[in-house]
Amino acid sequence: MTQITRMSVLYAPTLKEVPADAAIASHQLLLRAGFMRKTATGLYTFLPLGWRVIRKIERIVRQEMDAIGGQEIMMPILQPAEIWHESGRWGDYGPELMRMSDRHEVGLCLGPTHEELVTALVRNELKSYRQLPTTVYQIQSKFRDEIRSRFGLMRSREFIMKDAYSFNEDEESLHESYAAMSKAYGRICDRLGLDWRTVEADSGQIGGSVTCEYHALAEAGEAELVSCTCGFASNTEVAECISHPTAQGETQLRRIETPGVGTIAALAEFLGIPESATVKALVGKDADGAPVAVFVPGDHELNEIKIERAIPGFSFMDDAEMEDAGLPKGSIGPVGLPEGVRVLADRSLKGVEGWAVGANEHGFHYVGAILDRDFHVDEWGDLCTAKAGDTCPKCGGTLEMNRGIEVGQVFELGDKYSRAMNATYLDENGKEQFFQMGCYGVGISRCMAAIVEQYNDEYGIKWPASVAPAHICVLPLVVGDEAVEPAAERIAAELADLGLEVVIDDRKERPGVKFAEADLMGWPVQVIIGKRSVANGELELKNRQTGEKSTLPVAEFRELMSIAHREKRHIEAFLRSIADIPARHAR
């Protein structure tokens, strides 16, 4: 028989008030419902109910990894700096890498990811093409010294992740491993009950040439996503931007006084034109410190990833550097720039006649500036961040915008790490070859937050059955009553005998407290038993997802359980049948 959890002994302290630093639903509810507690900034302790959810997410992930031939291992969290120096990432990773030294002054780090360590592992073990492909994975805590730890589990300094690594003999085999993992990630998202999208993405600090992210759609998501009805979807960090700036209307260069105008919004208002008819200037410097002026449509933002690719080492100038370079903040334009300033512009501006731009003098702007007559551009490129209303690069339709929580990402690394760390195998001709590698991550604790962001209401969490800390909560409304308590115990025992995870609220609390906390904690189904229902041979069912309630004869409920037992229904299928009862018996 499955063990029944008793609320009288369960360590699940709830909070009546929303914690002051909890800004989003998942952070608030996981704290209020007693699923976790804050230890320090970006660090959380999972309490019993929270850990149950984490373990269920892990189980789903393990099942899908095992189904495609993944083999689970466990690597050290503490990694030697030596292997990070081999890969070249010790200096490149940045301040997010938690570095330290041991008593012998040997450099170490707390692993944010394990590409280096797993490559060092297999280069001594996988020697022949006959051993390939091999995929290993682990589920463990990772560490990143986030500059701003916020939003609870969404951006924490310690988090739980599944990271997998495939080792392949050629690109074709790598593509196959990548495709199998991508499908597995889709199944994981489905089984977690997420409303999700696969989007084009940037490989960031991990590297590699092919990657995509898996996002749970949520208003609280930190990522901005653009998508189209044709199926195109991308993170705005990398989406091709096809914008449509408008002409300002004048083609005669005219210098006008613009007192107090230092922003695009102010310029557009002053001239009586839309922001799309203005041109925004941003200034920085390249890796050698040479000045660079970048021009984009006034209604768009410069994409920092794209400008870094266009000008490696690019960084923005501060106010003092701008003044020293003769570039007055708020009034910069391409006409009459100081000598030696490199000019880049977004390609969408190439056909626009009559730019409205700064005049490189405080309080003055130009209208009617014409390319190649009044100024020149050294380089053109896709430099803007795509946004809603832009043209879809796949079909020519119109993009719409969503926000997403990144719950997973897959990468084709190629030989980035194997070449740097001299990890080779012998091919069928006895020749040494570098491994073709892939890496694949799922944020376990982020998945938990994403689920709560999608499944909640004003009363609390609404867990999908697949990850709920228990399937059913039995609520005896009068504990100690000679009829109510035994009836509730019998129902709980019968449900547990079917393999369902059952919680019984055997606390001597008022019914209102029990109802409120059952909703807050989010049990998928509530079975409510009071004096009246026992006297009538009935019980009340509540579907937490819909909020619907129904009264059902106990005999009919037992018949449903008997049918489920005879037909050996899957637990979740049976649970759905119970949850659907309120809709069939709606009041």
Side-chain angles (χ1 to χ4, degrees):
M1 184 180 78
T2 302
Q3 184 177 357
I4 297 172
T5 300
R6 297 185 176 276
M7 288 289 292
S8 60
V9 297
L10 179 65
Y11 180 35
T14 57
L15 302 175
K16 291 184 179 179
E17 302 296 327
V18 175
D21 63 343
I24 62 173
S26 60
H27 194 187
Q28 295 169 359
L29 292 173
L30 289 170
L31 290 171
R32 284 191 56 221
F35 282 72
M36 68 182 194
R37 284 293 180 264
K38 180 179 177 180
T39 301
T41 301
L43 302 174
Y44 295 90
T45 295
F46 291 108
L47 303 186
L49 293 182
W51 193 242
R52 285 190 189 186
V53 175
I54 291 290
R55 294 297 295 273
K56 288 191 172 186
I57 296 170
E58 288 180 352
R59 183 185 65 187
I60 289 171
V61 171
R62 281 191 173 95
Q63 288 172 348
E64 294 299 338
M65 292 300 96
D66 294 346
I68 60 171
Q71 302 176 68
E72 187 168 7
I73 62 174
M74 180 58 72
M75 292 180 279
I77 292 172
L78 198 60
Q79 301 184 33
E82 177 185 2
I83 58 175
W84 283 72
H85 284 296
E86 277 191 70
S87 72
R89 287 208 299 172
W90 184 258
D92 292 345
Y93 202 90
E96 288 75 26
L97 184 65
M98 290 189 171
R99 299 169 172 87
M100 65 196 72
S101 299
D102 66 12
R103 67 180 67 189
H104 304 294
E105 298 303 316
V106 174
L108 300 163
C109 69
L110 292 177
T113 183
H114 275 64
E115 286 78 17
E116 284 82 1
L117 203 153
V118 76
T119 305
L121 171 71
V122 305
R123 68 182 172 186
N124 298 317
E125 308 289 347
L126 297 180
K127 293 296 187 181
S128 170
Y129 73 96
R130 293 187 178 89
Q131 297 171 280
L132 306 178
T134 292
T135 297
V136 295
Y137 74 94
Q138 64 176 353
I139 298 176
Q140 67 164 208
S141 292
K142 307 288 187 186
F143 299 85
R144 289 179 190 159
D145 195 4
E146 296 282 359
I147 189 171
R148 287 188 301 167
S149 295
R150 54 183 184 153
F151 300 151
L153 301 180
M154 296 263 288
R155 187 169 289 277
S156 54
R157 292 192 292 168
E158 179 179 352
F159 53 96
I160 303 171
M161 188 171 84
K162 185 281 302 180
D163 48 322
Y165 306 90
S166 68
F167 295 86
N168 304 80
E169 58 181 308
D170 53 32
E171 289 187 2
E172 182 180 356
S173 175
L174 174 57
H175 295 335
E176 291 172 356
S177 293
Y178 181 90
M181 193 67 69
S182 298
K183 290 178 181 177
Y185 274 36
R187 292 192 296 270
I188 288 168
C189 290
D190 286 340
R191 291 180 63 184
L192 295 179
L194 293 172
D195 180 10
W196 60 279
R197 299 288 185 276
T198 306
V199 302
E200 296 177 2
D202 178 62
S203 58
Q205 295 165 325
I206 301 297
S209 57
V210 178
T211 184
C212 68
E213 294 171 342
Y214 292 75
H215 281 264
L217 300 185
E219 283 301 313
E222 291 188 290
E224 291 185 335
L225 314 174
V226 285
S227 60
C228 179
T229 54
C230 72
F232 169 80
S234 178
N235 193 312
T236 57
E237 291 178 341
V238 297
E240 181 184 359
C241 180
I242 304 176
S243 62
H244 302 283
T246 54
Q248 174 266 327
E250 294 192 38
T251 57
Q252 181 64 42
L253 184 65
R254 186 162 58 93
R255 181 173 173 271
I256 58 175
E257 188 173 0
T258 52
V261 173
T263 66
I264 286 296
L267 179 62
E269 182 179 1
F270 185 89
L271 297 176
I273 58 175
E275 291 186 14
S276 62
T278 65
V279 176
K280 183 184 300 182
L282 303 104
V283 292
K285 51 192 176 181
D286 63 19
D288 297 323
V292 179
V294 184
F295 297 94
V296 299
D299 63 338
H300 278 68
E301 299 298 326
L302 177 67
N303 186 303
E304 294 188 24
I305 290 176
K306 292 179 181 179
I307 191 63
E308 170 65 28
R309 287 178 177 168
I311 306 177
F314 178 88
S315 61
F316 290 104
M317 287 185 179
D318 60 29
D319 291 357
E321 289 175 317
M322 290 169 61
E323 289 294 338
D324 289 344
L327 299 166
K329 183 178 179 180
S331 297
I332 299 168
V335 181
L337 278 169
E339 194 72 28
V341 177
R342 182 176 170 189
V343 178
L344 275 74
D346 187 77
R347 63 190 182 189
S348 64
L349 294 169
K350 204 168 189 177
V352 176
E353 288 192 349
W355 290 17
V357 292
N360 296 310
E361 182 181 350
H362 286 299
F364 289 90
H365 283 76
Y366 281 120
V367 293
I370 301 295
L371 174 67
D372 292 333
R373 184 193 70 186
D374 304 313
F375 64 91
H376 298 282
V377 171
D378 297 312
E379 298 173 45
W380 300 90
D382 175 16
L383 303 176
C384 292
T385 297
K387 67 176 190 175
D390 287 345
T391 296
C392 172
K394 182 178 178 181
C395 75
T398 302
L399 294 179
E400 60 181 33
M401 181 80 77
N402 295 108
R403 301 196 70 85
I405 301 169
E406 182 192 339
V407 295
Q409 188 167 8
V410 292
F411 303 82
E412 287 191 7
L413 299 174
D415 62 6
K416 172 181 169 65
Y417 294 90
S418 58
R419 184 176 292 274
M421 299 180 68
N422 196 33
T424 63
Y425 69 94
L426 295 178
D427 66 16
E428 58 185 353
N429 298 315
K431 184 179 178 181
E432 275 196 326
Q433 302 287 354
F434 294 111
F435 292 110
Q436 294 293 308
M437 290 175 56
C439 75
Y440 320 91
V442 170
I444 303 293
S445 44
R446 273 174 83 81
C447 283
M448 182 178 181
I451 292 166
V452 177
E453 287 297 329
Q454 290 189 348
Y455 290 90
N456 73 82
D457 60 16
E458 60 187 301
Y459 304 109
I461 305 170
K462 302 192 292 185
W463 292 109
S466 61
V467 296
H471 299 128
I472 293 180
C473 181
V474 178
L475 296 163
L477 299 185
V478 188
V479 174
D481 183 87
E482 62 183 15
V484 172
E485 189 168 358
E489 293 286 350
R490 283 194 298 273
I491 290 294
E494 291 169 16
L495 288 166
D497 283 342
L498 290 174
L500 293 164
E501 297 167 354
V502 181
V503 170
I504 185 167
D505 193 343
D506 58 341
R507 299 174 300 164
K508 292 183 178 180
E509 289 281 4
R510 293 178 290 106
V513 172
K514 293 187 176 187
F515 292 149
E517 293 198 352
D519 282 351
L520 178 63
M521 293 176 176
W523 319 111
V525 176
Q526 298 171 23
V527 179
I528 303 162
I529 300 173
K531 285 187 175 182
R532 183 182 301 175
S533 59
V534 170
N536 294 334
E538 298 173 336
L539 50 76
E540 188 176 52
L541 294 178
K542 179 178 178 179
N543 181 331
R544 180 68 184 95
Q545 288 290 344
T546 65
E548 294 176 321
K549 295 181 179 179
S550 68
T551 300
L552 190 71
V554 173
E556 185 176 337
F557 188 69
R558 286 202 168 100
E559 178 61 22
L560 285 173
M561 290 192 288
S562 176
I563 292 171
H565 183 70
R566 288 198 307 270
E567 296 180 357
K568 299 186 185 302
R569 290 187 189 175
H570 189 278
I571 286 175
E572 290 181 20
F574 175 55
L575 194 62
R576 283 194 297 271
S577 71
I578 295 176
D580 287 343
I581 288 172
R584 300 197 300 268
H585 294 74
R587 290 175 173 173

